[in-house]
Amino acid sequence: MPPQNSQQNGTPPAPTWTGAQETEATHVSAGYRDALSFVLVPRTSLQFDPPDATAVHKLGSPSELLIEVPIRGKAVNFEPGVTLPCELSWLVQHGTGSPLGAPVGNAVMKVDANGRFEILVDGKTPSVDIIGQKLINQGALGYSVTPKFPHAEASDFPPSIRFNNPCAITTKKPEGAKVRIGELVTFTPHFGSVLNKADLELRVVELDEGSGEVPSASGRYAFSHRWAPAGFYIFRSNSSVDWAIGFTDDTCERFADVGDEEEGSYEFGWELWGRSRPDAPQTLLVEDKELLKLPKPQLEELRVEYDESWEGTWEVHGKIAGVSPRAHLQLDVAVVEPATPPPVGPTPLLAPLPLRAPATAPSASEDKRTPTVRVQLGSDGVFEAQVGERHWGFNPATSAATPKHRGYAIISLVAATREGKPGPMQPYLDFDENKYSPFKEDKLSWDVDAPWVCSEEATTLSTRPPKPTRRKRGVSVAPAPGPEVGDQKTPIVFEDMWLDIVAWEGLVPYMYLDTKGNVTVGAGNLLATIEPTTPGDKLAAKTHPFQNMDAGRAATPQEITEAYNKVKAMPAKLFYTEYAQRPKIALTDAYSKQLAKERYEKEFLPAVKRGFPDFETYPRAARRGILDVTYNVGPSVPTSWPKLIAAVKARNWTMAAVECRTQPQNKEDTRNEWRKELFLYAAKIDWKKPGA
């Protein structure tokens, strides 16, 4: 019999144990005064049946995109007749790497009277989505089941059900000197027959990853092509698709939207997205981020000469390199004649003043601009244009006494036209802005969105504003992706979070002050000191490989110190670009990204996973919101924000949308609103929240 408590303790006597209870109990003596009793609970487990033969056959040679996969077996030490909610994940393995888990919502485990179990999803046999779960090319499928029962552990059926659904795109692209704007790239699809029932979309994207680039806020792609689903293979065209580099299609009529500010080269990649049904979210199936890298077209020459002839008054000469002859690129050309400067000298005292200027007399203080003519770039990149009034024969007004004619040419690219108006030149043409000035609103400019470029004569004939120490448009990046972007059930990798990080933290290569007055660089990396206090101290400016971008060399320790002190002495809460210095002491974009990756993988992500053990089961939108708060505030968030912690652990995403607010940087900062949308979207689609 179990030992009895001493009556002197004043506690009631322990209950009498039955024989069965006696065998299931362990009694631990707690000194001479008391004893503790523990009931042993048998360990539960699941023993899976071999994969269903029909499912194995269908996965090996599928004719539909959704395939039922029965999951049955023996439930060990579970109460017969019980139905328990459970966590179900498909395990998809490609190659020799670790399998990727894809959680499935609303799964239950039903145990019959004989201890046999079956997994049901929404009351039906689980179905695997070939597109949604990325069962493409060669690989194997398995599954993992975790009953929601005290101390129940996950039971895995290792990936062993083979599948082979070819899904690839090969490219034929120019090589060497022929990698230039307007040349053709051919995309040839290689899809298994079942993928002909999927809705597939090819997207060519320009990768805006540089801190010196301002991508488009529209979210459009350089080029896209859709292969619509078809019930029968013969009714679907999987033919090759051509794309002219840098344009929206193969006709070279319109430049692709590569952003409002593009540095000296383009980096193009392609993505293949798909979905199995119209109401399903798109899944990224395959991609290539290194499709092409090529320089922008280069303006090598642009000048104008005064030459009266029957073809016009001005003759414009120019050359643009880096454009394919097949592009047949067109330019709009005009000439600006600056206003004649007023005569210098004393005014005669008795000179009569006219009562009224003639109605047709041009103002001497206004620039004249000739009508625009359109010309085509030659196969060698050379173009010529005759603009201005035509002259027939000898002009008696022209003599040695006639003042020298003054003018400069302006050009615009027709393919850059947007909404019927000349579009910005900087994204599509590389030129020396000190020699060839941008032209905007009828005057010389430094603006990156200027729709015209002037010939070399302009800077000597017209006044140009001083060159700013910073770009007028400032540092800008692509908007953060919306809450629905990405597969909500798959792991988040750094490349996914990088898009969120740079959207809100920015990618500033030089030192600046954050809203609290701290010296910062890159994607929000704090620089607390100049000198490192420990080896590899990432909070010290001199630990990082700063470059003197103006001199094209590594920055000296003295230059780093001077740049740090100049920024530190400035007021906080200025726009990023107010902190730009000359010389430009900055980090490369590649290093800034690598620095952010190290902090994300070694600091922020581990802190989040420690604070939220179920983190990987949350919808992607919720995980992005949690990571964003942590990156914004610091790794202490998962342990020091009690209201947010409670909401997240309860999967109460509506409350998390309220408790995730941080201090905005300025009145225009919409980061809190974006983060709120992430959590609200998670509340709509969470397959594991209570009551789902």
Side-chain angles (χ1 to χ4, degrees):
M1 293 293 293
Q4 302 296 315
N5 294 330
S6 172
Q7 294 299 318
Q8 68 181 2
N9 294 333
T11 57
T16 302
W17 292 80
T18 66
Q21 290 173 328
E22 184 75 26
T23 61
E24 295 176 358
T26 296
H27 310 294
V28 179
S29 175
Y32 69 91
R33 292 177 178 271
D34 210 342
L36 301 176
S37 299
F38 297 89
V39 176
L40 298 179
V41 178
R43 172 173 290 184
T44 59
S45 63
L46 300 179
Q47 298 175 358
F48 293 105
D49 288 347
D52 181 82
T54 301
V56 171
H57 174 73
K58 288 184 176 180
L59 284 167
S61 181
S63 59
E64 300 293 337
L65 294 172
L66 299 178
I67 298 175
E68 290 187 349
V69 180
I71 303 176
R72 303 186 182 100
K74 183 179 179 180
V76 179
N77 291 326
F78 284 93
E79 181 181 354
V82 72
T83 298
L84 297 173
C86 66
E87 297 180 358
L88 170 64
S89 293
W90 298 114
L91 303 178
V92 182
Q93 184 168 27
H94 293 92
T96 58
S98 300
L100 295 178
V104 180
N106 301 329
V108 298
M109 184 182 75
K110 189 172 183 179
V111 183
D112 64 16
N114 298 319
R116 301 278 303 168
F117 77 88
E118 180 180 12
I119 304 300
L120 301 175
V121 175
D122 293 325
K124 302 177 182 178
T125 300
S127 293
V128 65
D129 184 340
I130 289 179
I131 299 298
Q133 272 72 61
K134 297 177 66 171
L135 272 62
I136 57 172
N137 298 317
Q138 296 186 21
L141 176 70
Y143 34 82
S144 175
V145 177
T146 307
K148 290 190 175 180
F149 185 77
H151 310 294
E153 298 180 351
S155 298
D156 293 349
F157 183 84
S160 58
I161 307 175
R162 308 300 302 179
F163 59 80
N164 184 8
N165 301 305
C167 180
I169 291 180
T170 56
T171 58
K172 180 182 179 182
K173 53 189 179 182
E175 301 290 344
K178 289 192 174 182
V179 181
R180 51 190 176 177
I181 296 298
E183 292 288 351
L184 286 181
V185 175
T186 301
F187 298 91
T188 302
H190 305 277
F191 302 145
S193 60
V194 69
L195 296 188
N196 289 286
K197 293 188 175 182
D199 189 342
L200 303 176
E201 182 184 10
L202 169 69
R203 301 173 184 172
V204 175
V205 294
E206 207 283 323
L207 305 174
D208 293 293
E209 296 186 346
S211 62
E213 300 186 3
V214 178
S216 170
S218 63
R220 289 177 288 185
Y221 311 108
F223 169 71
S224 66
H225 177 80
R226 178 172 176 250
W227 288 285
F232 298 95
Y233 182 85
I234 60 174
F235 295 136
R236 166 125 156 204
S237 174
N238 282 341
S239 58
S240 299
V241 179
D242 289 333
W243 169 62
I245 300 173
F247 294 87
T248 57
D249 51 27
D250 61 346
T251 65
C252 302
E253 293 181 358
R254 177 180 169 83
F255 282 129
D257 190 349
V258 295
D260 294 334
E261 183 170 351
E262 189 70 28
E263 291 194 325
S265 64
Y266 300 120
E267 301 87 25
F268 288 107
W270 63 263
E271 304 168 345
L272 180 67
W273 292 77
R275 55 185 163 198
S276 57
R277 57 188 188 277
D279 60 340
Q282 286 188 310
T283 298
L284 177 60
L285 300 176
V286 289
E287 64 178 334
D288 179 4
K289 290 188 175 182
E290 298 181 355
L291 172 64
L292 285 170
K293 183 172 183 179
L294 69 157
K296 288 195 300 184
Q298 174 77 38
L299 180 62
E300 295 185 347
E301 180 185 4
L302 180 58
R303 56 186 175 82
V304 64
E305 296 178 0
Y306 185 83
D307 182 21
E308 292 184 355
S309 69
W310 70 273
E311 294 179 324
T313 305
W314 300 90
E315 186 175 297
V316 180
H317 304 269
K319 183 177 182 180
I320 297 177
V323 180
S324 170
R326 72 169 303 278
H328 303 297
L329 196 66
Q330 293 184 319
L331 302 95
D332 283 337
V333 184
V335 169
V336 176
E337 299 180 52
T340 303
V344 179
T347 302
L349 296 177
L350 300 179
L353 297 176
L355 296 177
R356 179 178 298 176
T360 58
S363 172
S365 62
E366 295 181 359
D367 294 348
K368 298 178 183 179
R369 181 168 167 177
T370 67
T372 300
V373 299
R374 183 162 294 180
V375 297
Q376 182 172 301
L377 197 67
S379 60
D380 55 357
V382 173
F383 65 91
E384 294 184 352
Q386 303 285 340
V387 298
E389 296 180 0
R390 295 182 178 230
H391 297 268
W392 304 92
F394 174 71
N395 186 352
T398 303
S399 64
T402 304
K404 183 179 179 181
H405 294 275
R406 306 162 64 249
Y408 56 87
I410 57 174
I411 62 170
S412 181
L413 298 172
V414 177
T417 300
R418 298 179 181 178
E419 298 178 355
K421 299 179 180 179
M425 293 286 281
Q426 200 275 348
Y428 309 109
L429 188 64
D430 195 16
F431 56 90
D432 182 351
E433 62 180 8
N434 294 307
K435 182 177 181 181
Y436 304 113
S437 170
F439 188 79
K440 180 181 177 182
E441 298 175 354
D442 295 327
K443 56 181 179 292
L444 276 60
S445 170
W446 294 96
D447 289 1
V448 299
D449 60 345
W452 300 84
V453 174
C454 302
S455 63
E456 57 190 53
E457 296 85 5
T459 55
T460 61
L461 298 179
S462 292
T463 302
R464 191 181 190 188
K467 184 175 183 178
T469 59
R470 60 186 179 90
R471 293 177 307 199
K472 184 172 182 180
R473 291 293 296 270
V475 175
S476 178
V477 293
E484 73 287 347
V485 170
D487 191 327
Q488 294 295 320
K489 299 179 181 181
T490 56
I492 297 177
V493 298
F494 172 74
E495 292 295 337
D496 300 327
M497 280 306 300
W498 178 243
L499 300 178
D500 292 346
I501 291 171
V502 296
W504 298 113
E505 298 290 342
L507 182 58
V508 186
Y510 45 82
M511 289 178 259
Y512 67 98
L513 296 183
D514 64 12
T515 54
K516 296 182 180 180
N518 300 314
V519 179
T520 313
V521 73
N525 189 74
L526 174 66
L527 297 178
T529 62
I530 299 176
E531 302 291 342
T533 57
T534 59
D537 182 6
K538 299 296 185 182
L539 299 180
K542 288 187 178 178
T543 300
H544 305 286
F546 280 95
Q547 304 291 309
N548 184 323
M549 298 299 187
D550 293 343
R553 56 169 171 78
T556 66
Q558 181 63 27
E559 288 173 334
I560 296 174
T561 300
E562 290 177 356
Y564 186 98
N565 290 332
K566 285 181 181 179
V567 170
K568 187 66 177 177
M570 297 177 71
K573 297 184 178 181
L574 300 178
F575 195 64
Y576 300 103
T577 52
E578 298 287 351
Y579 299 102
Q581 308 285 338
R582 284 287 184 264
K584 183 179 179 181
I585 307 301
L587 298 175
T588 64
D589 294 338
Y591 179 81
S592 295
K593 185 176 181 179
Q594 181 60 33
L595 182 61
K597 183 179 181 180
E598 290 179 6
R599 295 193 66 198
Y600 171 79
E601 294 179 345
K602 297 180 180 179
E603 186 177 350
F604 298 106
L605 186 59
V608 166
K609 288 187 174 182
R610 286 194 301 268
F612 305 109
D614 295 332
F615 177 76
E616 291 296 350
T617 70
Y618 300 157
R620 174 182 288 252
R623 284 177 280 153
R624 289 171 60 199
I626 296 168
L627 285 167
D628 183 71
V629 176
T630 306
Y631 197 96
N632 185 208
V633 177
S636 64
V637 169
T639 58
S640 62
W641 283 39
K643 293 183 179 180
L644 178 62
I645 293 170
V648 169
K649 289 187 174 181
R651 304 181 87 99
N652 187 343
W653 306 124
T654 303
M655 183 58 66
V658 177
E659 300 299 336
C660 68
R661 291 188 63 84
T662 56
Q663 182 67 35
Q665 294 186 10
N666 49 56
K667 294 180 180 180
E668 291 75 31
D669 187 357
T670 60
R671 189 172 190 170
N672 282 320
E673 287 69 25
W674 169 81
R675 195 185 293 135
K676 178 180 178 181
E677 290 299 319
L678 290 176
F679 285 113
L680 292 179
Y681 184 78
K684 294 179 182 179
I685 56 94
D686 189 3
W687 56 93
K688 287 190 175 183
K689 66 182 179 181

